[in-house]
Amino acid sequence: MYADTETIRKILTQSGDTWAVVGLSSNRSRVAYGVAAVLQRYGKRVVPVHPKAETVHGERGYASLADIPFPVDVVDVFVNSDLAGGVADEAAAIGAKAVWFQLGVIDEQAYARTRAAGLDMVMDRCPAIELPLLD
């Protein structure tokens, strides 16, 4: 319901290659770290967004989406569901084309707001799982 095949394919192949990954830090044991590496292998520019603003996978980090000084195409969200809606709202505010809530990140109201704002959105899926399925 929140991840139709057409929208998944559009985000992964047509929405653009600059992905802000919210919750990405240099902690190699976190899922976000591995997913970001997969995104890079598939040609995406990964922009870490985390309060620590660390450099991860060779890309400078930013403390918030609003701090990123260039356009972002997709916002990939690795935060708890209770915080995800605010991130989706920020994604719309910075002009992102799409929002992707990772596995287990669910906020139906945020989904409705984000779609109403004209952004594509996928919820409760992982691009690292979906990208290889496109081949």
Side-chain angles (χ1 to χ4, degrees), residues 51-131:
K52 293 180 182 177
E54 300 172 300
T55 296
V56 183
H57 296 304
E59 289 285 347
R60 177 181 173 198
Y62 297 90
S64 72
L65 289 173
D67 291 339
I68 300 172
F70 48 82
V72 169
D73 300 311
V74 181
V75 175
D76 190 6
V77 181
F78 277 95
V79 300
N80 293 330
S81 295
D82 59 337
L83 301 174
V87 175
D89 295 340
E90 291 174 36
I94 66 162
K97 298 173 189 167
V99 175
W100 191 297
F101 280 10
Q102 284 292 325
L103 290 170
V105 180
I106 299 169
D107 182 332
E108 294 179 7
Q109 290 79 24
Y111 181 88
R113 284 194 314 273
T114 303
R115 296 290 296 184
L119 283 71
D120 288 319
M121 184 163 179
V122 169
M123 187 164 64
D124 194 26
R125 297 294 273 273
C126 180
I129 293 170
E130 302 297 333
L131 275 164

Coordinates of all heavy atoms in Angstrom, one line a residue, residues 51-131:
P51 N 23.0 14.7 13.8 CA 23.4 15.8 14.7 C 24.9 15.9 14.8 O 25.4 17.1 14.9 CB 22.8 15.4 16.0 CG 21.6 14.6 15.7 CD 22.0 13.8 14.5
K52 N 25.7 14.9 14.6 CA 27.2 14.9 14.7 C 27.8 15.5 13.5 O 29.0 15.9 13.5 CB 27.7 13.6 15.0 CG 27.4 13.0 16.4 CD 28.0 11.7 16.6 CE 27.6 11.1 17.9 NZ 28.2 9.7 18.1
A53 N 27.0 15.5 12.4 CA 27.5 16.0 11.1 C 28.9 15.4 10.7 O 29.8 16.1 10.2 CB 27.6 17.6 11.1
E54 N 29.0 14.1 10.8 CA 30.2 13.4 10.5 C 30.4 13.2 9.0 O 29.4 13.0 8.3 CB 30.2 12.1 11.2 CG 30.1 12.1 12.7 CD 29.9 10.7 13.3 OE1 28.9 10.1 12.9 OE2 30.8 10.3 14.1
T55 N 31.6 13.1 8.6 CA 31.9 12.6 7.2 C 31.8 11.1 7.2 O 32.3 10.4 8.0 CB 33.3 13.0 6.8 OG1 33.4 14.5 6.7 CG2 33.7 12.5 5.4
V56 N 31.0 10.6 6.3 CA 30.7 9.1 6.2 C 30.8 8.7 4.7 O 30.3 9.4 3.8 CB 29.3 8.8 6.7 CG1 29.1 7.3 6.7 CG2 29.1 9.3 8.1
H57 N 31.5 7.6 4.4 CA 31.7 7.2 3.1 C 32.3 8.2 2.2 O 31.9 8.3 1.0 CB 30.4 6.6 2.5 CG 29.9 5.4 3.2 ND1 30.6 4.3 3.4 CD2 28.6 5.2 3.7 CE1 29.8 3.4 4.0 NE2 28.7 3.9 4.2
G58 N 33.1 9.1 2.7 CA 33.8 10.1 1.9 C 32.9 11.4 1.7 O 33.4 12.3 1.0
E59 N 31.7 11.4 2.2 CA 30.8 12.6 2.0 C 30.7 13.4 3.3 O 30.4 12.8 4.4 CB 29.5 12.1 1.5 CG 29.4 11.5 0.1 CD 29.5 12.6 -1.0 OE1 29.4 13.8 -0.7 OE2 29.8 12.2 -2.1
R60 N 30.8 14.7 3.2 CA 30.6 15.6 4.3 C 29.2 15.4 4.9 O 28.2 15.4 4.1 CB 30.8 17.0 3.9 CG 30.6 18.0 5.0 CD 30.8 19.4 4.6 NE 30.4 20.2 5.7 CZ 30.1 21.5 5.6 NH1 30.2 22.1 4.5 NH2 29.7 22.2 6.7
G61 N 29.1 15.4 6.2 CA 27.8 15.3 6.8 C 27.3 16.7 7.2 O 28.0 17.7 7.4
Y62 N 26.0 16.7 7.5 CA 25.3 17.9 7.9 C 24.4 17.6 9.1 O 23.8 16.5 9.2 CB 24.5 18.5 6.7 CG 25.3 18.9 5.6 CD1 25.6 18.0 4.6 CD2 25.9 20.2 5.5 CE1 26.5 18.4 3.5 CE2 26.7 20.6 4.5 CZ 27.0 19.7 3.5 OH 27.9 20.0 2.4
A63 N 24.2 18.6 9.9 CA 23.4 18.4 11.1 C 21.9 18.3 10.9 O 21.2 17.6 11.6 CB 23.7 19.5 12.2
S64 N 21.5 18.9 9.8 CA 20.0 18.8 9.4 C 19.9 19.0 7.9 O 20.8 19.4 7.2 CB 19.3 20.0 10.1 OG 19.6 21.2 9.5
L65 N 18.7 18.6 7.4 CA 18.4 18.8 6.0 C 18.6 20.2 5.6 O 19.1 20.5 4.5 CB 17.0 18.3 5.6 CG 16.8 16.8 5.7 CD1 15.3 16.4 5.5 CD2 17.7 16.0 4.7
A66 N 18.1 21.1 6.4 CA 18.2 22.6 6.1 C 19.6 23.1 5.9 O 19.9 24.1 5.2 CB 17.5 23.4 7.1
D67 N 20.6 22.4 6.5 CA 22.0 22.8 6.4 C 22.7 22.4 5.1 O 23.7 22.9 4.8 CB 22.8 22.2 7.6 CG 22.4 22.8 8.9 OD1 21.8 23.9 9.0 OD2 22.7 22.1 9.9
I68 N 22.1 21.5 4.3 CA 22.7 21.1 3.1 C 22.6 22.2 2.1 O 21.5 22.7 1.7 CB 22.0 19.8 2.6 CG1 22.1 18.7 3.6 CG2 22.6 19.4 1.2 CD1 21.2 17.4 3.3
P69 N 23.8 22.7 1.5 CA 23.8 23.8 0.7 C 23.6 23.6 -0.8 O 23.9 24.4 -1.7 CB 25.2 24.4 0.9 CG 26.0 23.2 1.2 CD 25.1 22.2 1.9
F70 N 23.0 22.4 -1.1 CA 22.8 22.0 -2.5 C 21.5 21.2 -2.6 O 21.0 20.7 -1.6 CB 24.0 21.3 -3.1 CG 24.5 20.1 -2.3 CD1 23.8 18.9 -2.3 CD2 25.5 20.3 -1.4 CE1 24.3 17.9 -1.5 CE2 26.0 19.3 -0.6 CZ 25.3 18.0 -0.6
P71 N 20.9 21.1 -3.8 CA 19.6 20.3 -3.9 C 19.8 18.9 -3.5 O 20.8 18.2 -3.8 CB 19.3 20.5 -5.4 CG 20.0 21.7 -5.9 CD 21.3 21.7 -5.1
V72 N 18.8 18.4 -2.9 CA 18.6 17.0 -2.5 C 17.5 16.4 -3.3 O 16.4 17.0 -3.3 CB 18.4 16.8 -1.0 CG1 18.1 15.4 -0.6 CG2 19.7 17.3 -0.2
D73 N 17.7 15.2 -3.9 CA 16.6 14.6 -4.7 C 15.7 13.7 -3.8 O 14.5 13.8 -3.9 CB 17.2 13.8 -5.8 CG 18.0 14.6 -6.7 OD1 17.5 15.6 -7.2 OD2 19.2 14.2 -7.0
V74 N 16.3 12.9 -3.0 CA 15.6 11.9 -2.2 C 16.1 12.0 -0.7 O 17.3 12.1 -0.5 CB 15.8 10.4 -2.7 CG1 15.0 9.4 -1.9 CG2 15.4 10.3 -4.2
V75 N 15.2 11.9 0.2 CA 15.5 11.9 1.6 C 15.2 10.5 2.2 O 14.0 10.0 2.1 CB 14.8 13.0 2.4 CG1 15.1 12.8 3.9 CG2 15.2 14.3 1.9
D76 N 16.2 9.7 2.6 CA 16.1 8.4 3.1 C 16.1 8.5 4.6 O 17.1 9.0 5.2 CB 17.3 7.6 2.5 CG 17.2 6.1 2.8 OD1 16.1 5.6 3.3 OD2 18.1 5.4 2.5
V77 N 15.1 8.0 5.3 CA 14.9 8.2 6.7 C 15.2 7.0 7.5 O 14.5 6.0 7.4 CB 13.5 8.8 6.9 CG1 13.2 9.1 8.4 CG2 13.2 10.0 6.0
F78 N 16.2 7.1 8.4 CA 16.6 6.1 9.3 C 16.4 6.5 10.8 O 17.3 6.4 11.6 CB 18.1 5.7 9.1 CG 18.4 4.7 8.1 CD1 18.7 5.2 6.8 CD2 18.3 3.4 8.3 CE1 19.0 4.3 5.8 CE2 18.6 2.5 7.3 CZ 18.9 2.9 6.0
V79 N 15.3 7.1 11.1 CA 15.0 7.5 12.5 C 13.7 6.8 12.9 O 13.0 6.2 12.1 CB 14.8 9.1 12.6 CG1 16.1 9.8 12.1 CG2 13.6 9.6 11.8
N80 N 13.5 6.9 14.2 CA 12.3 6.2 14.8 C 11.0 6.8 14.1 O 11.0 8.0 13.8 CB 12.2 6.4 16.3 CG 13.3 5.6 17.0 OD1 13.8 4.6 16.5 ND2 13.8 6.1 18.1
S81 N 10.0 6.0 14.1 CA 8.7 6.4 13.4 C 8.2 7.7 14.0 O 7.6 8.5 13.3 CB 7.7 5.3 13.5 OG 8.1 4.2 12.8
D82 N 8.4 7.9 15.4 CA 7.8 9.1 16.0 C 8.5 10.4 15.6 O 8.0 11.5 15.7 CB 7.8 8.9 17.5 CG 9.1 8.7 18.1 OD1 10.1 8.2 17.4 OD2 9.3 9.0 19.3
L83 N 9.7 10.3 15.0 CA 10.5 11.4 14.5 C 10.4 11.6 13.0 O 10.7 12.6 12.5 CB 11.9 11.3 14.9 CG 12.2 11.2 16.4 CD1 13.7 11.0 16.7 CD2 11.8 12.5 17.1
A84 N 10.0 10.5 12.3 CA 10.0 10.5 10.9 C 9.1 11.5 10.2 O 9.5 12.1 9.2 CB 9.7 9.1 10.4
G85 N 8.0 11.8 10.8 CA 7.1 12.7 10.2 C 7.7 14.1 10.0 O 7.5 14.8 9.0
G86 N 8.4 14.5 11.1 CA 9.1 15.8 11.0 C 10.1 15.9 9.9 O 10.3 16.9 9.3
V87 N 10.8 14.7 9.7 CA 11.9 14.7 8.7 C 11.2 14.8 7.3 O 11.7 15.5 6.4 CB 12.7 13.4 8.8 CG1 13.7 13.3 7.6 CG2 13.4 13.3 10.1
A88 N 10.1 14.1 7.2 CA 9.3 14.2 5.9 C 8.9 15.6 5.6 O 9.0 16.1 4.5 CB 8.1 13.2 5.9
D89 N 8.4 16.3 6.6 CA 8.0 17.7 6.4 C 9.2 18.6 6.0 O 9.1 19.4 5.2 CB 7.4 18.2 7.7 CG 6.1 17.5 8.1 OD1 5.5 16.9 7.2 OD2 5.7 17.6 9.3
E90 N 10.4 18.3 6.6 CA 11.6 19.0 6.3 C 12.0 18.7 4.8 O 12.5 19.6 4.1 CB 12.8 18.6 7.2 CG 12.6 19.1 8.6 CD 13.7 18.6 9.6 OE1 14.9 18.5 9.1 OE2 13.4 18.3 10.7
A91 N 11.8 17.5 4.4 CA 12.2 17.1 3.0 C 11.3 17.9 2.1 O 11.9 18.4 1.0 CB 11.9 15.6 2.8
A92 N 10.1 18.1 2.3 CA 9.2 18.9 1.5 C 9.7 20.3 1.5 O 9.7 21.0 0.5 CB 7.8 18.7 1.9
A93 N 10.0 20.8 2.7 CA 10.5 22.2 2.8 C 11.7 22.5 2.0 O 11.9 23.7 1.5 CB 10.6 22.6 4.3
I94 N 12.6 21.6 1.9 CA 13.9 21.8 1.2 C 13.7 21.5 -0.3 O 14.7 21.7 -1.1 CB 15.1 21.1 1.7 CG1 14.9 19.5 1.5 CG2 15.3 21.4 3.2 CD1 16.2 18.8 1.7
G95 N 12.6 21.1 -0.8 CA 12.3 20.8 -2.2 C 12.8 19.5 -2.7 O 13.0 19.3 -3.9
A96 N 12.9 18.5 -1.8 CA 13.2 17.1 -2.3 C 12.1 16.6 -3.2 O 10.9 17.1 -3.1 CB 13.4 16.2 -1.1
K97 N 12.4 15.7 -4.0 CA 11.4 15.1 -4.9 C 10.8 13.9 -4.3 O 9.7 13.5 -4.7 CB 12.1 14.7 -6.2 CG 12.7 15.8 -7.0 CD 13.5 15.3 -8.2 CE 14.3 16.4 -8.8 NZ 15.3 15.8 -9.8
A98 N 11.4 13.2 -3.4 CA 10.9 12.0 -2.8 C 11.4 11.8 -1.4 O 12.5 12.3 -1.0 CB 11.3 10.8 -3.7
V99 N 10.6 11.0 -0.6 CA 11.0 10.6 0.7 C 10.9 9.0 0.8 O 10.0 8.4 0.2 CB 10.0 11.2 1.8 CG1 10.3 10.7 3.2 CG2 10.2 12.7 1.7
W100 N 11.9 8.4 1.4 CA 11.9 7.0 1.6 C 12.0 6.7 3.1 O 13.1 7.0 3.7 CB 13.1 6.4 0.8 CG 13.1 4.9 0.7 CD1 13.1 4.0 1.7 CD2 13.0 4.2 -0.5 NE1 13.1 2.7 1.2 CE2 13.0 2.8 -0.2 CE3 12.9 4.5 -1.9 CZ2 12.9 1.8 -1.1 CZ3 12.8 3.5 -2.8 CH2 12.8 2.2 -2.5
F101 N 11.0 6.1 3.6 CA 11.1 5.6 5.0 C 11.5 4.2 5.0 O 11.0 3.3 4.4 CB 9.7 5.7 5.7 CG 9.2 7.0 6.2 CD1 9.9 8.2 5.9 CD2 8.1 7.1 7.0 CE1 9.5 9.4 6.4 CE2 7.7 8.4 7.5 CZ 8.4 9.5 7.2
Q102 N 12.6 3.9 5.8 CA 13.2 2.6 5.8 C 12.3 1.5 6.5 O 11.2 1.8 7.0 CB 14.5 2.6 6.6 CG 15.6 3.3 5.8 CD 16.1 2.4 4.7 OE1 16.1 1.2 4.7 NE2 16.4 3.0 3.6
L103 N 12.7 0.3 6.4 CA 12.0 -0.8 7.0 C 11.7 -0.5 8.5 O 12.5 -0.1 9.2 CB 12.8 -2.1 7.0 CG 13.0 -2.7 5.6 CD1 14.0 -3.9 5.6 CD2 11.6 -3.2 5.0
G104 N 10.4 -0.7 8.9 CA 10.0 -0.4 10.2 C 9.7 1.0 10.6 O 9.2 1.3 11.7
V105 N 9.9 1.9 9.6 CA 9.6 3.4 9.8 C 8.3 3.6 9.2 O 8.2 3.6 8.0 CB 10.7 4.3 9.3 CG1 10.4 5.7 9.5 CG2 12.1 4.0 9.9
I106 N 7.3 3.9 10.0 CA 5.9 4.0 9.6 C 5.2 5.2 10.2 O 5.2 5.3 11.5 CB 5.1 2.7 9.8 CG1 5.8 1.5 9.1 CG2 3.6 2.9 9.4 CD1 5.2 0.2 9.5
D107 N 4.7 6.1 9.4 CA 3.9 7.2 9.9 C 2.9 7.5 8.8 O 3.2 8.2 7.8 CB 4.8 8.4 10.2 CG 4.0 9.6 10.8 OD1 2.8 9.7 10.4 OD2 4.6 10.4 11.5
E108 N 1.7 7.0 8.9 CA 0.7 7.1 7.9 C 0.3 8.6 7.7 O 0.0 9.0 6.5 CB -0.6 6.3 8.2 CG -0.2 4.8 8.2 CD -1.4 3.9 8.5 OE1 -2.5 4.4 8.7 OE2 -1.2 2.7 8.6
Q109 N 0.2 9.4 8.7 CA -0.1 10.8 8.5 C 1.0 11.5 7.7 O 0.7 12.4 6.9 CB -0.3 11.5 9.9 CG -1.6 11.1 10.6 CD -1.4 9.7 11.3 OE1 -0.3 9.3 11.6 NE2 -2.6 9.1 11.5
A110 N 2.3 11.2 8.0 CA 3.4 11.8 7.3 C 3.3 11.4 5.8 O 3.6 12.2 4.9 CB 4.7 11.4 7.9
Y111 N 3.0 10.1 5.6 CA 2.8 9.7 4.2 C 1.8 10.5 3.5 O 2.0 11.0 2.4 CB 2.4 8.2 4.2 CG 2.3 7.6 2.8 CD1 3.4 7.0 2.2 CD2 1.1 7.6 2.2 CE1 3.3 6.5 0.9 CE2 0.9 7.0 0.9 CZ 2.0 6.5 0.3 OH 1.9 6.0 -1.0
A112 N 0.6 10.7 4.1 CA -0.4 11.5 3.5 C 0.0 12.9 3.2 O -0.2 13.5 2.1 CB -1.7 11.4 4.3
R113 N 0.6 13.5 4.2 CA 1.1 14.9 4.0 C 2.1 15.0 2.9 O 2.1 16.0 2.1 CB 1.8 15.4 5.3 CG 0.8 15.8 6.4 CD 1.5 16.6 7.5 NE 2.8 16.1 8.0 CZ 3.0 15.2 8.9 NH1 1.9 14.7 9.5 NH2 4.2 14.9 9.3
T114 N 3.1 14.1 2.9 CA 4.1 14.1 1.9 C 3.6 14.0 0.5 O 4.0 14.7 -0.4 CB 5.2 13.0 2.2 OG1 5.7 13.3 3.6 CG2 6.4 13.1 1.3
R115 N 2.7 13.0 0.3 CA 2.1 12.8 -1.0 C 1.3 14.0 -1.4 O 1.3 14.5 -2.6 CB 1.2 11.6 -1.0 CG 2.0 10.3 -0.8 CD 2.8 9.9 -1.9 NE 2.0 9.6 -3.0 CZ 2.4 9.2 -4.2 NH1 3.7 8.9 -4.4 NH2 1.6 8.9 -5.2
A116 N 0.5 14.6 -0.4 CA -0.3 15.8 -0.7 C 0.6 17.0 -1.1 O 0.2 17.8 -1.9 CB -1.1 16.2 0.5
A117 N 1.8 17.0 -0.6 CA 2.8 18.1 -1.0 C 3.4 17.8 -2.4 O 4.2 18.7 -2.8 CB 3.9 18.2 0.1
G118 N 3.1 16.7 -3.0 CA 3.5 16.4 -4.3 C 4.8 15.6 -4.4 O 5.4 15.5 -5.5
L119 N 5.3 15.1 -3.3 CA 6.5 14.3 -3.3 C 6.1 12.8 -3.5 O 5.0 12.4 -3.0 CB 7.3 14.4 -2.0 CG 8.1 15.7 -1.9 CD1 7.2 16.9 -1.6 CD2 9.0 15.5 -0.7
D120 N 7.0 12.0 -4.1 CA 6.8 10.6 -4.1 C 7.2 10.1 -2.8 O 8.1 10.7 -2.2 CB 7.6 9.9 -5.2 CG 7.1 10.2 -6.6 OD1 5.9 10.1 -6.8 OD2 7.9 10.5 -7.5
M121 N 6.7 9.0 -2.4 CA 7.1 8.4 -1.1 C 6.9 6.9 -1.0 O 6.0 6.4 -1.6 CB 6.3 9.0 0.1 CG 6.7 8.6 1.4 SD 6.1 9.6 2.7 CE 6.8 8.8 4.1
V122 N 7.9 6.3 -0.4 CA 7.8 4.9 -0.1 C 8.0 4.7 1.4 O 8.8 5.4 2.0 CB 9.0 4.1 -0.8 CG1 9.1 2.7 -0.4 CG2 8.7 4.1 -2.3
M123 N 7.3 3.8 2.0 CA 7.4 3.6 3.5 C 7.5 2.1 3.8 O 6.9 1.3 3.1 CB 6.1 4.2 4.1 CG 6.1 4.2 5.6 SD 4.8 5.3 6.3 CE 3.3 4.4 5.8
D124 N 8.4 1.8 4.8 CA 8.6 0.5 5.3 C 9.2 -0.4 4.2 O 8.9 -1.6 4.1 CB 7.3 -0.1 5.8 CG 7.5 -1.4 6.6 OD1 8.5 -1.5 7.3 OD2 6.5 -2.2 6.7
R125 N 10.2 0.1 3.5 CA 11.0 -0.6 2.5 C 12.4 -0.2 2.6 O 12.7 0.8 3.2 CB 10.4 -0.4 1.1 CG 9.0 -0.9 0.8 CD 8.8 -2.4 0.9 NE 9.1 -3.1 -0.3 CZ 8.2 -3.3 -1.2 NH1 7.0 -2.9 -1.1 NH2 8.5 -4.0 -2.3
C126 N 13.3 -0.9 1.9 CA 14.7 -0.6 1.9 C 15.3 -0.5 0.5 O 15.1 -1.5 -0.2 CB 15.5 -1.6 2.7 SG 17.3 -1.3 2.8
P127 N 15.9 0.6 0.1 CA 16.4 0.7 -1.2 C 17.5 -0.3 -1.5 O 17.7 -0.7 -2.7 CB 16.9 2.1 -1.3 CG 17.1 2.6 0.1 CD 16.1 1.8 0.9
A128 N 18.3 -0.7 -0.5 CA 19.3 -1.7 -0.7 C 18.8 -3.0 -1.1 O 19.5 -3.8 -1.7 CB 20.2 -1.8 0.6
I129 N 17.6 -3.3 -0.7 CA 16.9 -4.5 -1.1 C 16.3 -4.4 -2.5 O 16.3 -5.2 -3.3 CB 15.8 -4.9 -0.1 CG1 16.5 -5.3 1.2 CG2 14.9 -6.1 -0.6 CD1 15.5 -5.5 2.4
E130 N 15.7 -3.2 -2.7 CA 15.0 -2.9 -4.0 C 15.9 -2.7 -5.2 O 15.5 -3.1 -6.3 CB 14.0 -1.7 -3.8 CG 13.0 -1.9 -2.7 CD 12.0 -3.0 -2.9 OE1 11.7 -3.4 -4.0 OE2 11.5 -3.5 -1.9
L131 N 17.0 -2.0 -5.0 CA 17.9 -1.7 -6.1 C 18.3 -3.0 -6.9 O 18.2 -3.0 -8.1 CB 19.1 -0.9 -5.6 CG 18.9 0.6 -5.6 CD1 20.0 1.2 -4.7 CD2 18.9 1.2 -6.9

